[in-house]
Amino acid sequence: MHAYANPTRFLAIARPLTRWLLGVGLLLVLAGAWAGLTQVPGDYKQGETARILYVHVPAAWLGMGGWTSLALAGLIQMVWRHPLSGIAARAIAVPGMLFTALCLATGSIWGKPTWGTWWEWDGRMTSMLVLLFLYAGFIALTNGDEGQRQGGSLSRGAAIYALVGAINIPIINRSVVWWNSLHQGPSITLRGSSIDNALLWPLGLTLLGFSLLFGAIVLMRMRRIIADNRVAARLRRLADDEGN
Amino acid sequence: MTGVISGSGQWAYVAAAYGLTVLLTGAVLWSSWRAMVKAERRSDALRRDQS
């Protein structure tokens, strides 16, 4: 792991990987969405609206997975001071916030015809909204800070914020078990799925596809930060040379 | 089949959810790609100028 903390080594892998993740991710998302919209039957109770599942579940998975990765990056930054971990945390924040917002929006759109309401202040929806605010707080905390000007590393405060915010992830996951909720209970667990296979298979395609797209977005944003750092370093050297 | 949600209006909700997903994901993908290409071009140009 330490070997890949070097930006030059990282870029040698990230450059070809970005295109692969982007290409395969787009193909899988398109295939999954096509299958989810045209190849599977409507749900026996919810009818056609159940097809929202194929975008809502990946969005929820990536919103939560994004913060888990961000907290891990914060931990690595605090313990090993890897230069890339702070850059990774910064790169994860915007796509993580995007998918959390998409999860809330698609869930709300699904909720109106299914529950008769756009929004309910229950455990699942409220804890997911808290995650959105946590992302917004992290972006506000790290945008334009001293760490950004010095190569992208996270401040101790931002790394601790990321770790403390991770407490919300198991709360989101268990919210439908701990509290009464309009939201259904867990459909997919380690023991299996309560969703029939006839409806389940496109979800595998969109889950994997959106995850690859998320990875591509993170790599693109990391590459942008590294390129900006190199420009800043060269400009500083130029200014120093002219000063001497 | 009591309680089944039916009617052609259901597709409007499905279209809204998919449309929003395409729009927002596409916007972040596009802006991240453009920012990366622009930053890497700037970095490469500066390196060439210095060498």
Side-chain angles (χ1 to χ4, degrees), chain B residues 6 18-20 22 26 33-34 39-40 46:
Chain B
S6 59
Y18 278 72
L20 197 63
V22 169
W33 177 265
R34 276 199 60 180
E40 288 189 340
L46 202 59

Side-chain angles (χ1 to χ4, degrees), chain A residues 137-161:
Chain A
F138 183 84
I139 291 167
L141 194 64
T142 55
N143 199 17
D145 65 355
E146 192 61 29
Q148 192 176 30
R149 288 189 290 275
Q150 291 179 351
S153 65
L154 289 185
S155 67
R156 196 175 170 79
I160 290 171
Y161 177 90

Side-chain angles (χ1 to χ4, degrees), chain A residues 201-214:
Chain A
W201 65 272
L203 183 60
L205 296 176
T206 54
L207 258 179
L208 183 59
F210 276 113
S211 301
L212 297 184
L213 287 186
F214 186 92

Side-chain angles (χ1 to χ4, degrees), chain A residues 51-133:
Chain A
R51 299 180 196 279
I52 295 172
L53 164 85
Y54 306 114
V55 290
H56 176 71
V57 173
W61 154 254
L62 289 168
M64 292 163 67
W67 192 274
T68 307
S69 316
L70 196 152
L72 275 174
L75 181 69
I76 293 169
Q77 157 93 58
M78 279 179 73
V79 177
W80 288 292
R81 307 215 175 269
H82 277 195
L84 278 179
S85 55
I87 293 174
R90 287 170 192 275
I92 289 165
V94 167
M97 187 173 171
L98 159 81
F99 282 106
T100 305
L102 270 179
C103 169
L104 287 166
T106 55
S108 183
I109 292 168
W110 196 355
K112 180 62 180 166
T114 311
W115 303 329
T117 179
W118 296 102
W119 183 263
E120 186 66 40
W121 291 100
D122 75 351
R124 173 57 64 88
M125 285 171 258
T126 307
S127 55
M128 206 65 198
L129 185 66
V130 168
L131 181 63
L132 184 77
F133 293 153

Side-chain angles (χ1 to χ4, degrees), chain A residues 22 37 44-49 51 54 98 105 109 113-114 217 220-221 223-224 227-228 231 234 238, chain B residues 1 4-5 10-11 13-14 17-18 20-21 24-25 28-29 32-33 35-36 39-40 42-43 46-47 50:
Chain A
L22 199 56
L37 290 172
Y44 82 106
K45 260 195 166 172
Q46 296 187 35
E48 310 301 344
T49 52
R51 299 180 196 279
Y54 306 114
L98 159 81
I109 292 168
T114 311
I217 294 171
M220 285 188 256
R221 299 183 82 85
R223 285 172 59 182
R224 198 259 301 156
D228 283 346
V231 168
R234 286 197 181 101
L238 273 177
Chain B
M1 299 288 274
V4 175
I5 300 163
Q10 290 183 78
W11 280 104
Y13 291 102
V14 176
Y18 278 72
L20 197 63
T21 303
L24 291 184
T25 310
V28 172
L29 266 171
S32 302
W33 177 265
M36 176 196 75
E40 288 189 340
R42 192 162 169 238
S43 172
L46 202 59
R47 194 186 59 210
Q50 282 186 300

Side-chain angles (χ1 to χ4, degrees), chain A residues 26-46:
Chain A
L26 278 174
L27 276 178
L28 287 173
V29 165
L30 287 174
W34 170 77
L37 290 172
T38 66
Q39 299 301 299
V40 299
D43 180 70
Y44 82 106
K45 260 195 166 172
Q46 296 187 35

